[in-house]
Amino acid sequence: MAISAAGTSEDSTSDIVDQAAGTPGPETDPEVSVIGRAFDPIRQSLLRTLTNEDESPPEWVSKLERGDDGGYFPQSSAAWAVHGDLPTIVAGIRALLTQALHPGALAGVHDHSRYREDPFGRLAGTIRWIFTVTYGSTDAADSATGWVQHIHQRVRGVYPGSDGEPIAYAADDPDLLRWVHLAFTDAFLGAHLVWGARPIPGGPDAYVAEWAKAGEMMGVAAPPRTHAELRAQLREYLDAGILRYDERVADVVRFLRRPPLPRALKPTYPLLFRGAVASMDDEYRALLGLPTPRGPVRLPTALVLDATGRLIGRTTGAEVSALARLERLGLTRP
C-alpha cells in the first residue's frame, strides 16, 4: 500500500474521494449524498472553467452527435485514448508553458488574445477545437479547423529579435504552426505517459502519427509521425537558439502559476502546475527559469486528477456525444 505526501494510503484516499463525490464506497450511507451535494460547487466551477459556459454540456458538445461518418479518428484510436483521459488537464498547462518559449508564438498571444481579461475563453476555444477534431465528424472537424484558421488570419505583428531588430510574425506562419503542434503533441503525450489510465493503442508512435493529421489540417508541413521524430523536431528549435526567456515569458509563467481561478479550485491547482513542470524535459524547464519541484509530485497530482474524474466523470461529454453518433451509424466497436 503506497503512502501519499499527506501520509494517507492511496486506498483510503480513494474511499474518501468516492464518498465525498457521492460515488458508492465500501460504507455508503445517507450522509454521502449530502456530502456529494456539498461538492457540487466545485464540480460546476471545474466545468465552467474548462468550457467557459454555464450550460452543461455546451451546445457544441451536443452537436458532436450529428454527422454522417466516424470522423478522422476511430473509437479505437490513440487520439481518443489520450484526449479522453484526465492528464489532459496537466498537459494543457505544460503546453502553454512550452509554447511561450517561442517569441513569435508568445507575441501572438501577448498582442492579440485577452488571456488576462478572459483566460478561460482561450482555454475553452482550444478545448473545443481539440475535442471537435478528435471526436467529431469530418465535416465538424473541418469546420472547427476553418474557424481557427480564420482567427489566425488576423493575428499578425512584429516582436523584438534577440538583437533588438523587429521580426514579423503571423499565426499562420508555417514555422509557428509547427512549433505549436510540436509543443501540444509533446505535452499531451508526455502527461499521459506519466498519469494516463487508458492504454494508448499502438503506443506513443501511434499517437504522434495520428495527431499529425490535425497538424496537417492546420497547415503544418511534414509533421512528425513517430515519437523519435517528435523529439528530434523539438530539439531543432533548441539547437537553433530560437527559444528564449524574457520578461514576456516570465509574465506568462507568473500568470500560469497563479491564474484567476474560482476559489473552489485554488487549493488543488498548485499540484497540477507542479505536475506540469515536473513532467517537462530539463532543457525547457531550465529555459523557463523553473526549478525541479521538490518533494512528491507524481502521486499528489494523480490524486487530484482522480478526484477530478470522480467529480466531473471519467468520460468527457464530447466522447459521449461521439459514441452516440457512432452507435447511430453502426460504427461502435464491440
Side-chain angles (χ1 to χ4, degrees):
M1 182 179 291
I3 303 298
S4 74
T8 307
S9 74
E10 289 187 65
D11 291 344
S12 61
T13 301
S14 295
D15 293 343
I16 292 169
V17 174
D18 273 336
Q19 295 185 32
T23 304
E27 299 180 4
T28 301
D29 58 42
E31 293 183 7
V32 170
S33 60
V34 176
I35 298 174
R37 286 196 296 272
F39 275 71
D40 193 60
I42 301 177
R43 180 185 297 109
Q44 295 304 319
S45 292
L46 273 167
L47 293 172
R48 192 177 301 112
T49 298
L50 294 172
T51 65
N52 207 38
E53 295 187 31
D54 291 325
E55 181 183 359
S56 182
E59 184 180 5
W60 68 265
V61 170
S62 301
K63 286 183 177 179
L64 296 180
E65 293 187 23
R66 306 175 187 175
D68 299 320
D69 59 42
Y72 288 111
F73 302 100
Q75 183 185 356
S76 59
S77 67
W80 272 54
V82 172
H83 298 165
D85 211 349
L86 291 166
T88 55
I89 299 172
V90 176
I93 302 170
R94 173 172 162 174
L96 291 174
L97 287 169
T98 305
Q99 288 172 12
L101 287 170
H102 192 302
L106 181 55
V109 174
H110 182 275
D111 297 344
H112 293 273
S113 78
R114 299 176 64 249
Y115 78 92
R116 285 196 169 279
E117 296 82 3
D118 184 23
F120 308 120
R122 182 168 180 259
L123 171 65
T126 302
I127 290 173
R128 177 174 180 171
W129 177 76
I130 293 168
F131 281 178
T132 302
V133 172
T134 304
Y135 299 113
S137 66
T138 55
D139 283 346
D142 290 343
S143 177
T145 301
W147 170 69
V148 174
Q149 290 172 327
H150 175 71
I151 294 175
H152 280 180
Q153 291 175 1
R154 304 194 300 268
V155 180
R156 303 178 184 279
V158 296
Y159 65 90
S162 57
D163 58 359
E165 292 298 315
I167 299 175
Y169 73 84
D172 53 7
D173 177 85
D175 181 65
L176 293 186
L177 290 171
R178 174 181 297 280
W179 171 249
V180 171
H181 175 75
L182 295 177
F184 172 93
T185 307
D186 178 64
F188 276 67
L189 178 58
H192 191 89
L193 291 177
V194 178
W195 291 284
R198 298 188 184 189
I200 304 176
D205 283 351
Y207 175 71
V208 176
E210 288 180 11
W211 200 240
K213 174 61 181 178
E216 290 172 339
M217 291 169 66
M218 286 300 301
V220 178
R225 298 188 179 278
T226 67
H227 195 193
E229 289 180 4
L230 171 64
R231 306 282 296 177
Q233 291 192 22
L234 283 165
R235 169 60 61 177
E236 290 175 4
Y237 286 85
L238 277 171
D239 293 344
I242 296 172
L243 309 182
R244 75 183 193 208
Y245 179 87
D246 56 22
E247 183 52 39
R248 281 187 174 182
V249 178
D251 189 54
V252 169
V253 172
R254 285 191 293 268
F255 183 82
L256 289 175
R257 190 191 292 273
R258 295 182 180 84
L261 291 167
R263 181 179 299 178
L265 304 184
K266 287 184 177 180
T268 54
Y269 178 81
L271 295 174
L272 298 175
F273 182 84
R274 280 167 52 83
V277 172
S279 71
M280 300 179 78
D281 287 348
D282 292 341
E283 296 93 335
Y284 303 111
R285 189 166 52 240
L287 268 177
L288 288 163
L290 292 168
T292 302
R294 295 182 178 182
V297 174
R298 183 167 181 165
L299 179 57
T301 301
L303 291 175
V304 173
L305 293 176
D306 183 65
T308 300
R310 295 173 191 275
L311 283 170
I312 65 175
R314 299 184 184 278
T315 303
T316 67
E319 188 172 356
V320 171
S321 293
L323 287 171
R325 186 184 77 256
L326 295 181
E327 184 175 5
R328 171 172 57 81
L329 298 172
L331 299 175
T332 52
R333 68 184 184 186

